[in-house]
Amino acid sequence: MRKLYLAATALTAAVASQAWAQDTVAPDNADPQSTTPYYGTPAVPQPAYPDSSATQDAPVVAQDTTTAQPVNYQPIPLAPNPNEVANHSGIKFRGLRVEGDIGWTRSSSNHVSGRNNMGYGGTLGVDAVVDNFFVFGVEGNYWNPSKMWENNAGSNMNVGSQGNNIGTTAGGGYSARKAFEEWDATLRMGFLATKDLLFYMAGGYASGKQRNLYLNSAGVATGKYVGWSNGYSVGGGIEYSITQNFFMNAQYRWTQFGNHTSRARATLGFGFRFP
């Protein structure tokens, strides 16, 4: 009976020691081949989520607290105003134009200056702009001296007198020449000093109606010839755009008909340019 009791006690101790060994955790440096049981700290189950201590022990990422410097962006140029471009490119001096002219005029014959007079006329032309600064055009002009001054004699003599524009003929007679209307076809070239101001020159063909009156030594008319005399006209002026369509100009013209008659005129013109 005593032996049975001792055997039961030994078996119970062996089973208890085996269970205790399974509930303990061996240290990292424990020898896996060792047969010696380790009676250490019982294994403690780990929580499903890390506690606050694990969060506090996490490495802290440094933050850049320096002030951001502004980027030096280059400004993008704005698109130019279409009206300004149009003005600078000479849109005011492009296209069909019509104008009326009035001013001073004086004709000369056989190198003898006539009398001062007033005149009136008109111009029809068309212009084009090249390289935004140069204006080229063609135009037709009409000019007619009136009889407002010098005893209604215009730029010529009174019949029967020996005033201006009289040339002596054979036999002691006289020849008086009188200039009437004039038609010109000219080219115009100019430079845009500003978007509204044009300096220009003009020149071309001219044809004028004239009358040649022959008188004897007593001043009695013995014959008359009326016809057209051809020549050239040159001049220049300045033109200013008042608005997009209305303009004004001032110019001087010199016309030479053959080798016998010439005309000078200084005029003011007011006109309209079609859009």
Side-chain angles (χ1 to χ4, degrees):
M1 189 67 170
R2 180 182 176 85
K3 291 181 179 181
L4 182 61
Y5 175 77
L6 292 174
T9 302
L11 180 61
T12 302
V15 172
S17 62
Q18 182 67 26
W20 176 262
Q22 293 179 354
D23 293 337
T24 58
V25 178
D28 296 336
N29 59 355
D31 186 3
Q33 303 297 327
S34 175
T35 58
T36 304
Y38 175 76
Y39 302 97
T41 304
V44 179
Q46 296 298 321
Y49 300 97
D51 56 9
S52 60
S53 62
T55 304
Q56 293 177 358
D57 294 337
V60 178
V61 179
Q63 297 182 357
D64 188 3
T65 59
T66 58
T67 303
Q69 298 297 324
V71 180
N72 186 19
Y73 292 105
Q74 295 296 328
I76 300 176
L78 299 177
N81 189 320
N83 293 329
E84 293 181 359
V85 174
N87 292 341
H88 181 66
S89 63
I91 190 65
K92 291 184 177 181
F93 297 91
R94 178 183 294 130
L96 183 66
R97 59 184 169 86
V98 60
E99 69 180 72
D101 304 303
I102 188 171
W104 164 88
T105 184
R106 183 174 63 191
S107 295
S108 300
S109 179
N110 298 330
H111 307 290
V112 178
S113 178
R115 298 173 179 175
N116 295 323
N117 197 5
M118 290 291 292
Y120 61 90
T123 301
L124 177 66
V126 60
D127 298 310
V129 178
V130 178
D131 291 337
N132 296 334
F133 291 99
F134 302 97
V135 175
F136 297 89
V138 294
E139 60 185 17
N141 309 103
Y142 169 77
W143 182 251
N144 190 18
S146 66
K147 297 181 180 180
M148 297 176 61
W149 295 350
E150 302 290 350
N151 193 26
N152 291 334
S155 58
N156 299 274
M157 57 161 282
N158 288 322
V159 176
S161 68
Q162 298 185 29
N164 292 332
N165 289 348
I166 293 180
T168 303
T169 62
Y174 303 94
S175 173
R177 189 182 298 272
K178 183 175 182 178
F180 294 94
E181 61 190 84
E182 175 185 338
W183 294 86
D184 303 335
T186 57
L187 299 176
R188 189 168 85 148
M189 298 175 291
F191 175 77
L192 286 170
T194 70
K195 63 180 181 180
D196 298 320
L197 188 62
L198 172 70
F199 293 93
Y200 65 90
M201 300 180 298
Y205 170 81
S207 182
K209 186 178 180 180
Q210 299 182 0
R211 183 202 69 188
N212 214 19
L213 185 64
Y214 303 98
L215 304 96
N216 57 24
S217 58
V220 178
T222 59
K224 181 174 66 174
Y225 169 78
V226 178
W228 291 84
S229 183
N230 301 322
Y232 63 89
S233 178
V234 294
I238 181 172
E239 186 169 298
Y240 177 75
S241 288
I242 303 172
T243 66
Q244 186 72 21
N245 301 108
F246 292 94
F247 64 90
M248 63 179 297
N249 57 38
Q251 65 176 335
Y252 175 83
R253 291 288 185 100
W254 171 269
T255 305
Q256 180 69 47
F257 300 102
N259 60 356
H260 48 76
T261 307
S262 62
R263 169 181 282 153
R265 68 182 190 260
T267 63
L268 289 177
F270 299 88
F272 177 82
R273 190 180 298 277
F274 293 89

